[in-house]
Structures are given as C-alpha cells and as structure tokens.
C-alpha cells in the first residue's frame, strides 16, 4: 500500500462531510458541522488505537512465549547432535583401523602373488626358450598364423632377455609383419594395417615399416607432368589414412613431405635455375605448395620445417645466387633493348653523340624511341617494357623467396639499380637525348614535332616503373636503411629526366610558335586589313587565321594525348601565352581601315575559339582582352574614351591602348592622339 498522507486523509474526510466542501458548491459551507465531524472522527481513532495496542501487546506476549519454547527445542537438538558426532567419530576411528588392516593384508598378498606371477611368466618363457635352443618349435603359438600378435609379444620379451643370443626368429617375424603390412596396404585394408602397425611399434623395424608405407603410397601418384599438383593431391589422400593407421600421424606426414622434397623436387633444380621462365614458376609453385601443406598436422613448428625444406632445395645455389641473378638480368635486359633497336633499324650510339638527321632517317617519320602507348602489352621480344617484367620476376619473386632475410634489402636494392640502369638510363634517358637532338629549330618550315611522342611514351613507361617501385620494391626495403638510398636514387633519376623533358617541351613549343609565325608570314597579306573596295568585302576571318587555328587545335590535341595530370594544364598554359603573344605582336604589324578592323575582330574571334580548346582560364582571358583591344580599331573617335574605360581595358597600360589606336588609318586625320594626351 502507499504510505499514509495526513493532509490527503483530512481532505478526503472534509470532502465526504456534508457542508465541509467548497463554499461555491451545491451545499453551503458549515464550519461547525465540519468541526463536529472532526471531533467524532478523532474519538473513533482513539478507540481504534487502544484496540490495536491491546492486540499488539497480546501478540508480543505470545511471541515471547513461543521464543522460549523454540530455544528449549534448539538446546535439546544440540545435545542430540553432540552425541551423534561422538558416535561418528568413534565409527571413523574404527573404519580407519579396519582400512589399515586391509591395506596391510593387500600388501602381504601382493608380495606373495607378484613373485609367483613372475615365476610363472619366467617358467613359460624358459619353456619357449628351450624350444629355440632345441631348434624345434612345438608350441602352437609359433606355428599358428592367427596368433602372430601373441608370438610377437613372446619374441620381443625373449629378445630382451637373450640379447647375447642370435634369435633369428625375431628378425623373421619382424620381416613377416612388414610383409603383412605391405600386403594389407596394397589391398587397402586399413584395419589390418592399423593392427600390424601397432604390433610393429615395439620392434626395431617400425621405422622401416614407415619407409615402406611412404614408398608404396607414392607409387603411381606422379603420372602427370605437374609434380606440384600431384604432390598436393597425394598428401590430401594420404593424410586421412595416416591418421587411421599410425599412432603418431604427424611424424609419418613429416617424413613423407621431407621425402618428396628431397627426392622429387630436388632433382628438378639443376636445369631449372639456369633459365628465367622455368625458374620463376618453380620457385613460386614450391612456395605455394608449402603453403598448402601447412593445413596438415606436421607438428607444432610446421612453418619452420617447410621453410627449411625450401631453403635446403636451393642451398647449393644460395651463396652465388644474387650475382648469378644480376648477371642474368644484365644480359636479358641488354638483349631485350637490342632487339627493340634492331626492330627500329636503329644503331645505338654513345650518349651525347651522333646527328639528328641520322635519327630521323632511322625512324622513318617516327622519331620516338619508346614503344607507342598501347603496345606495351602487344609487343613482345622488341618491347623495352619487358625489362620491367623481367626485373619484376627477379626482384619480387626469386629475390624475396631465396634471399636470406638479412640480405633481402641489399639484394632488392641491387636489382633496383640494374632496373634504373637499363630502363631509365639506357632506354628512357637515351630516347630523351635522341629526341632532343631531333627537335628542329624554331624557324624550320613544315617541321614534324616528334618529341611529344617521346614524352608520352616516357611518361607511360615511367608510370609503370613507379608503380612497380611502390607495389613490389617498397615492401622489401621499407624497414631497412636501403629505403633512403632507393628514394634518393629515384629522385635523382626523375630530376635528371625532368630537366630533359622540360628542355624538350620548351623547344617544341618554340617550334610550334615558329610554325604559326611561318603560316602568318606566308598567308597574311597587308591588303587583308586595308581592302581596296571597302563596300564589297565579306566579313569573315582571313585564310591565314583559319590555317593557324587548324594548326593550333591539332597541337592542343597532341599535348593532351602526350601529357597527363597537371602537366596538361601547365604546358597548355605556356603554349596559350606564347600563342597570344604571337597574335598580339602580329596584329601590331598592320594598319587598319574601318572594314579592316572588322576583319581583324573576326580573326581574333576565331583565335578566341581556338583558345577555348585550351580549357585554361588565363589563356581565354588574354584573348578576351585582345578582342576588346581590337574594338579600338573600329569604334567611332568620340567613343574611344568610353571604350578605354570599359571593364576589360580599364586596367591596361595607356601606352598599350594608344599603340592599338595608332594602327588605325584615320589616326592622324581624326587627331585621335588627343584622347590619350
């Protein structure tokens, strides 16, 4: 029940009393009546309290009386328990006494029985021993094949007793057991194999039994040429059988795997380690096979055991391994590069020598020495990207698997240096040198610009080189001091090639601008902007402008194909700035009539469309400004100040604005110079 609340109790009492509620109720408030009700209720509560108090006293008296009775009962029970405990103590002493007597009697009986049993066993063994001495085995146990297990037990004991005697029966019986085991294995009788193996466990020939089992289970297992797959299947099949037959299956499986590695896999090595292609799959598949074998019960340290087997296979070759690997890589890389140059009919010359015409003649219109993008997969013997794949085989698979852990970073670094030498220096850097020598001069006419192809292909190959560096070399050296050397060497190579790439790109851009300049010089006529008949002129861009725009669009597309990332915007920005400078200077060479100014604006509008192909805000802004400047060539003289104060021209130098206004034919006639005074 909820706790008693006096205020709430009084409120309910007042509410139930007639005239005790609110003054605004149905019945008027009557304080006297309410007081009378409270006094009567108080009296009732007093009587109720006295009644309850008498009842409490009665219950307390009853409780005291029952407590005394319960206390007497507990005392009686304690006395009874004490008597029972004394009886149990006496019984325990008696049981201990009897047990001591029984143990003593058992010891006496055992002391009498054990010598008797030993005597009986000795007499029985002496009887069998006499039969061996007489040379005539009369006992049924030696003549009944069904009792071979009992006979083996007797022979084992006799062999231990008579170690000085040549008991041929021991060896004969051991041989019979092994023959029986072999026959049972061929018949596939697992139960019989298990029974015979348990008997042989106490014989010296037990190890020979295991050897016979290992040899016989491999018969017919290697019918295909794939020794690794056959080995995995054999171990899966044998593992379950070994667990059912032998009491120590992990020992038998360990011996089986060791036998396979030393007698099957070991014989494949001498010829395999001479060639790259057979060697790499062999090393990888040997390691993969070892990983599969870890699922079997080979003891607690199976990973160390398998790793040691792999090391033992290659132990003869490990001392001189890295030098052999490096020699092979040098020869193989040089051969791949030479095949590539031969396919291009190119005679490789010393760096820094030779002439550009010879290079162009050799390439027959394809000056890039590197394989075009997309051919890095389809080209085979002549593809220099195979240097990457060859190096990957060596540095990642063979080096990682055969190197001692302490020598792994050093060996991987030496392989990396060879890759740098053959791919970066002997090929990419050499191609850049040849490409630089083949770049024509800025004033050459109709020059073919092949250096961008060199840039594209060098970029592709170097991306592959960088990916191999991060994905495969870094894990081998990341925790060793060789990491710093590798990063320094890589940075050095990159910087060296970037200098040549920057130089070549700069010269190529100069050639592009030179080509544009040549087109303008040969195609643009002075009469283009001062037509003889002002009233009969088609408002369209000039022929020179059209040819320049076609050339520019083609070069922008070549730059996008040759570069990637931020390099595209960087090179296009530089080309766009030079393109703008050329057009700006070109326009300042002519004087413009009113109609000629309109033609100039058409040309600049077309140049501005080409500038949009650059997708560079700065270049587009430059041509927007140039377009605004060309408006000065056609605007009415009175509006010059207003146009010069426009948004695009207000921040330009006044001399630049004046220079453009001076190009107008009517400059002196209309005295336009006063607008800039």
């Amino acid at each position: 029940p909820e706790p008693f609340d006096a205020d709430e109790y009084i409120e309910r009492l007042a509410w139930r009393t007639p005239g005790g509620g609110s003054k605004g109720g149905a019945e008027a408030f009557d304080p006297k009546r309410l007081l009378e009700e409270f006094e009567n209720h108080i009296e009732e509560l007093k009587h109720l309290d006295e009644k309850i108090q008498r009842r409490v006293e009665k219950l307390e008296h009853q409780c005291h009386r029952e407590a005394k009775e319960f206390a007497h009962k507990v005392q009686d029970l304690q006395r009874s328990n004490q008597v029972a405990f004394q009886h149990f103590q006496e019984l325990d002493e008696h049981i201990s006494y009897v047990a001591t007597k029984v143990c003593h009697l058992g010891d006496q009986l055992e002391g009498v029985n054990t010598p008797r049993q030993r005597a009986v066993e000795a007499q029985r063994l002496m009887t069998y021993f006499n039969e061996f001495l007489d040379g005539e085995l009369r006992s049924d146990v030696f003549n009944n094949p069904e009792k071979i297990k009992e006979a083996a037990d007797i022979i084992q004991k006799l062999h231990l007793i008579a170690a000085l005697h040549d008991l041929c029966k021991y060896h004969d019986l051991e041989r019979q057991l092994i023959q029986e085991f072999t026959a049972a294995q061929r018949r596939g009788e697992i139960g019989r194999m298990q029974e015979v193996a348990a008997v042989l466990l106490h014989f010296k020939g037990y190890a020979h039994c295991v050897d016979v089992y290992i040899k016989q289970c491999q018969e017919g297992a290697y019918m295909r040429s794939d020794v690794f797959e056959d080995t995995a299947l054999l171990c899966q099949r044998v593992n379950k059988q070994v667990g059912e037959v032998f009491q120590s299956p992990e020992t038998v499986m360990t011996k089986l795997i060791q036998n396979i590695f030393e007698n099957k896999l070991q014989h494949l090595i001498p010829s395999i380690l001479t060639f790259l292609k057979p060697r790499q799959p062999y090393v990888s598949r040997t390691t993969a096979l070892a990983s599969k074998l870890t699922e079997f019960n080979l003891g607690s340290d199976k990973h160390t055991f398998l790793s040691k087997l792999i090391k033992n296979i290659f132990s003869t070759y490990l001392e001189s391994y890295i030098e052999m690997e490096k020699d092979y890589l040098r020869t193989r890389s040089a051969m791949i590069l030479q095949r590539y140059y031969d396919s291009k009919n190119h005679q490789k010359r010393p760096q820094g020598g030779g002439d550009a015409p010879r290079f162009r003649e050799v390439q027959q219109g394809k000056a890039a020495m590197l394989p075009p993008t997309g051919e890095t997969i389809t080209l085979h013997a002549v593809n220099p990207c195979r240097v990457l794949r060859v190096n990957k085989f060596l540095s990642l698979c063979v080096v990682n698997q055969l190197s001692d852990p302490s020598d792994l970073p050093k060996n991987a670094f030496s392989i990396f240096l060879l890759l740098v030498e053959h791919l970066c220096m002997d090929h990419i850097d050499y191609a850049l040198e040849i490409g630089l020598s083949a770049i024509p001069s800025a004033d050459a006419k109709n020059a073919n610009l092949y250096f961008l192809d060199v840039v594209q292909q060098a970029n592709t190959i170097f991306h592959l080189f960088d990916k191999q560096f991060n994905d495969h070399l870094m894990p081998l050296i990341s925790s060793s001091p060789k990491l710093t050397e590798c990063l320094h060497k890589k940075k050095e190579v990159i910087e060296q090639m970037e200098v040549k790439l920057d130089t070549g790109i700069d010269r190529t851009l100069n050639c592009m601008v030179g080509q544009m300049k040549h087109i303008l010089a040969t195609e643009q006529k002075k009469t283009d902007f001062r037509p003889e008949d002002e009233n009969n002129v088609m408002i369209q861009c000039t022929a020179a402008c059209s040819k320049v725009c076609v050339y520019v669009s083609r070069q922008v597309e070549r730059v996008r194909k040759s570069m990637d990332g931020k390099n595209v915007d960087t090179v296009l920005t530089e080309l766009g700035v030079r393109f703008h400078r050329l057009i700006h200077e070109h326009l300042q060479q002519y004087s413009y009539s009113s109609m000629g100014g309109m033609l100039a604006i058409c040309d600049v509008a077309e140049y501005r469309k080409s500038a949009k192909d650059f997708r560079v805000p700065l270049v587009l802004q430059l041509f927007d400004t140039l377009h605004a400047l060309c408006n000065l060539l056609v605007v009415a003289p009175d509006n010059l100040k207003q146009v010069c104060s426009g948004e695009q021209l207000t921040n330009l130098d006044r001399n630049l604005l004046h220079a453009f206004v001076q190009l107008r034919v009517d400059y002196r006639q209309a005295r336009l110079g006063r607008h800039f005074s």
Side-chain angles (χ1 to χ4, degrees):
E2 297 181 359
F4 177 74
D5 188 341
D7 293 339
E8 184 181 356
Y9 180 79
I10 293 173
E11 286 292 337
R12 288 201 304 268
L13 180 62
W15 180 77
R16 291 196 303 267
T17 302
S22 173
K23 292 181 180 180
E27 189 174 350
F29 177 70
D30 188 353
K32 291 182 179 182
R33 191 171 180 178
L34 181 62
L35 176 61
E36 182 180 352
E37 183 67 24
F38 279 166
E39 289 175 349
N40 294 334
H41 201 74
I42 290 172
E43 288 298 326
E44 291 178 3
L45 290 175
K46 286 181 180 180
H47 291 303
L48 181 61
D49 180 63
E50 291 175 358
K51 183 178 178 181
I52 292 174
Q53 187 63 33
R54 287 194 299 270
R55 185 177 178 185
V56 168
E57 290 175 355
K58 181 179 179 181
L59 291 174
E60 287 178 350
H61 177 71
Q62 183 180 355
C63 181
H64 287 309
R65 179 167 50 79
E66 290 179 354
K68 289 181 181 179
E69 293 177 357
F70 182 75
H72 288 305
K73 289 182 180 179
V74 170
Q75 290 176 356
D76 293 340
L77 290 174
Q78 285 180 342
R79 285 193 294 269
S80 300
N81 183 63
Q82 187 174 4
V83 173
F85 179 76
Q86 290 176 352
H87 291 167
F88 277 119
Q89 196 170 24
E90 293 174 358
L91 182 60
D92 182 64
E93 292 175 355
H94 185 66
I95 291 173
S96 298
Y97 174 76
V98 173
T100 303
K101 290 293 185 180
V102 171
C103 289
H104 178 67
L105 180 60
D107 291 339
Q108 289 180 336
L109 291 175
E110 185 178 1
V112 174
N113 187 57
T114 300
R116 178 179 175 280
Q117 288 182 343
R118 290 176 179 174
V120 171
E121 181 66 20
Q123 182 183 11
R124 188 166 65 89
L125 291 175
M126 289 173 64
T127 302
Y128 294 138
F129 189 71
N130 286 332
E131 292 184 12
F132 281 107
L133 292 179
D134 295 340
E136 183 180 355
L137 300 178
R138 297 178 296 275
S139 299
D140 181 62
V141 70
F142 297 122
N143 297 311
N144 189 349
E146 300 296 329
K147 297 184 178 181
I148 188 172
K149 184 176 180 180
E150 184 180 353
D153 181 62
I154 295 171
I155 294 298
Q156 176 68 21
K157 292 178 180 178
L158 289 176
H159 181 73
L160 295 175
I161 295 172
L164 298 178
H165 293 273
D166 183 16
L167 296 179
C168 297
K169 187 62 178 177
Y170 178 92
H171 301 288
D172 292 341
L173 191 59
E174 183 182 76
R175 185 168 54 254
Q176 291 178 26
L177 288 169
I178 294 176
Q179 291 174 352
E180 177 63 22
F181 181 87
T182 303
Q185 183 180 358
R186 289 176 178 169
R187 294 191 302 267
E189 298 177 357
I190 303 300
R192 184 58 176 166
M193 291 169 63
Q194 180 183 13
E195 181 181 353
V196 176
V199 175
L200 278 169
L201 184 63
H202 304 290
F203 279 77
K204 293 181 179 180
Y206 180 74
H208 182 59
C209 172
V210 174
D211 293 338
V212 169
Y213 174 79
I214 290 174
K215 179 181 179 181
Q216 191 161 296
C217 71
Q218 295 183 64
E219 293 179 358
Y222 296 94
M223 302 299 292
R224 298 176 295 181
S225 58
D226 192 342
V227 65
F228 301 98
E229 188 65 26
D230 288 339
T231 298
L233 294 175
L234 170 65
C235 291
Q236 290 176 356
R237 175 171 56 82
V238 170
N239 181 60
K240 181 179 179 181
Q241 189 179 84
V242 165
E244 296 175 351
V245 173
F246 297 97
Q247 295 186 8
S248 300
E250 66 277 2
T251 304
V252 179
M253 284 300 297
T254 300
K255 198 168 184 178
L256 170 63
I257 292 173
Q258 183 175 359
N259 179 274
I260 292 172
F261 269 76
E262 294 178 352
N263 296 301
K264 290 290 182 185
L265 303 183
Q266 181 78 37
H267 295 160
L268 300 176
I269 292 180
S271 59
I272 282 178
L273 283 181
T274 309
F275 304 101
L276 174 67
K277 284 188 177 180
R279 170 179 52 190
Q280 168 53 30
Y282 179 78
V283 176
S284 299
R285 298 197 67 187
T286 302
T287 306
L289 175 62
S291 299
K292 288 183 180 179
L293 298 179
T294 56
E295 67 185 51
F296 303 124
N297 184 11
L298 304 177
S300 58
D301 202 9
K302 53 187 174 184
H303 294 284
T304 303
F305 166 70
L306 292 170
S307 177
K308 187 176 180 181
L309 286 180
I310 295 176
K311 292 292 184 183
N312 289 340
I313 290 179
F314 297 96
S315 60
T316 309
Y317 309 91
L318 289 180
E319 294 180 0
S320 59
Y321 151 69
I322 190 61
E323 293 302 323
M324 177 183 68
E325 208 69 85
K326 289 162 63 177
D327 290 342
Y328 180 84
L329 179 56
R330 290 190 190 96
T331 304
R332 185 69 173 170
S333 299
M335 180 185 67
I336 292 172
L337 293 178
Q338 189 57 49
R339 285 181 179 176
Y340 177 74
Y341 296 133
D342 291 344
S343 72
K344 299 296 182 181
N345 194 26
H346 174 73
Q347 182 65 40
K348 193 172 185 293
R349 62 174 183 256
Q351 295 256 20
D355 55 351
R358 168 62 182 161
F359 174 79
R360 288 191 293 271
E361 177 185 349
V362 168
Q363 291 302 307
Q364 298 177 354
K366 277 283 185 179
M369 287 300 299
L370 302 178
T373 304
E375 291 184 28
T376 55
I377 302 301
T378 58
L379 288 176
H380 297 291
V382 299
N383 186 359
C385 286
R386 291 194 69 199
V387 176
L388 272 170
R389 295 201 291 269
V390 170
N391 184 273
K392 180 178 177 180
F393 271 151
L394 301 176
S395 63
L396 309 179
C397 300
V398 186
V399 171
N400 189 17
Q401 294 161 359
L402 298 185
S403 293
D404 187 90
S406 60
D407 296 332
L408 179 57
K410 179 182 67 176
N411 293 344
F413 179 64
S414 63
I415 296 296
F416 168 71
L417 292 180
L418 287 175
L419 177 62
V420 170
E421 175 186 349
H422 290 286
L423 184 69
C424 298
M425 306 310 299
D426 287 354
H427 192 67
I428 300 179
D429 190 71
Y430 174 71
L432 293 177
E433 287 284 353
I434 298 295
L436 285 172
S437 68
I439 297 176
S441 61
D443 56 354
K445 299 178 182 178
N446 299 321
N448 290 320
L449 304 177
Y450 298 122
F451 192 78
L452 289 180
D453 296 332
V454 178
V455 174
Q456 176 190 6
Q457 296 152 22
N459 189 43
T460 299
I461 294 181
F462 199 82
H463 276 314
L464 295 175
F465 167 80
D466 190 56
K467 186 177 188 304
Q468 182 172 318
F469 180 90
N470 294 324
D471 294 350
H472 306 294
L473 181 64
M474 285 289 286
L476 304 180
I477 62 172
S478 58
S479 58
S480 74
K482 289 295 179 182
L483 175 61
T484 303
E485 295 184 52
C486 278
L487 293 175
H488 177 74
K489 184 64 178 178
K490 180 185 174 186
K491 181 181 178 182
E492 180 182 316
V493 171
I494 292 175
E495 290 176 350
Q496 178 178 341
M497 288 193 292
E498 282 182 346
V499 169
K500 295 181 180 180
L501 287 169
D502 290 343
T503 302
I505 292 172
D506 182 69
R507 293 181 187 176
T508 301
L509 295 182
N510 286 337
C511 289
M512 292 179 181
V513 174
Q515 291 288 95
M516 298 180 214
K517 190 173 183 180
H518 175 70
I519 294 172
L520 292 172
T522 56
E523 299 291 335
Q524 196 84 71
K525 300 177 178 60
K526 291 185 178 181
T527 57
D528 286 344
F529 304 114
R530 294 182 64 180
E532 296 178 356
D533 186 359
E534 292 277 337
N535 298 321
N536 191 21
V537 177
M538 294 183 64
I539 305 300
Q540 61 183 12
C541 64
T542 62
C545 172
S546 297
K547 290 185 178 181
V548 169
C549 289
V550 170
Y551 180 81
V552 169
S553 297
R554 191 163 58 244
Q555 302 313 311
V556 169
E557 187 63 27
R558 289 191 64 186
V559 170
R560 291 195 185 280
K561 289 182 178 180
S562 304
M563 310 289 174
D564 63 356
K566 295 182 179 179
N567 293 329
V568 176
D569 291 339
T570 301
V571 175
L572 288 180
T573 300
E574 183 63 26
L575 177 60
V577 170
R578 297 187 189 189
F579 173 39
H580 168 266
R581 186 184 304 122
L582 172 66
I583 301 302
H584 186 277
E585 294 173 354
H586 173 71
L587 292 175
Q588 289 182 320
Q589 298 176 11
Y590 301 91
S591 60
Y592 300 87
S593 64
S594 178
M595 186 58 65
M598 294 297 295
L599 294 175
I601 291 176
C602 288
D603 279 3
V604 173
E606 196 67 23
Y607 293 138
R608 189 167 169 269
K609 288 182 182 179
S610 295
K612 290 182 179 180
D613 294 339
F614 286 74
R615 302 173 196 168
V616 177
L618 174 60
V619 176
L620 186 59
Q621 180 184 349
L622 290 173
F623 277 93
D624 285 342
T625 302
L626 183 59
H627 189 271
L629 281 172
C630 288
N631 287 331
L632 297 176
L633 301 176
V634 297
V635 69
D638 294 337
N639 295 331
L640 277 176
K641 279 191 176 182
Q642 181 182 355
V643 173
C644 291
S645 302
E647 181 180 352
Q648 291 181 315
L649 300 180
T650 186
N651 295 324
L652 295 182
D653 185 79
R654 302 290 289 180
N655 293 327
L656 176 61
L657 299 176
H658 193 186
F660 255 82
V661 174
Q662 286 178 325
L663 300 177
R664 294 173 57 137
V665 173
D666 61 350
Y667 174 74
R668 295 188 182 278
Q669 298 172 356
R671 293 183 294 174
L672 300 179
R674 59 190 175 84
H675 293 284
F676 297 92
S677 59

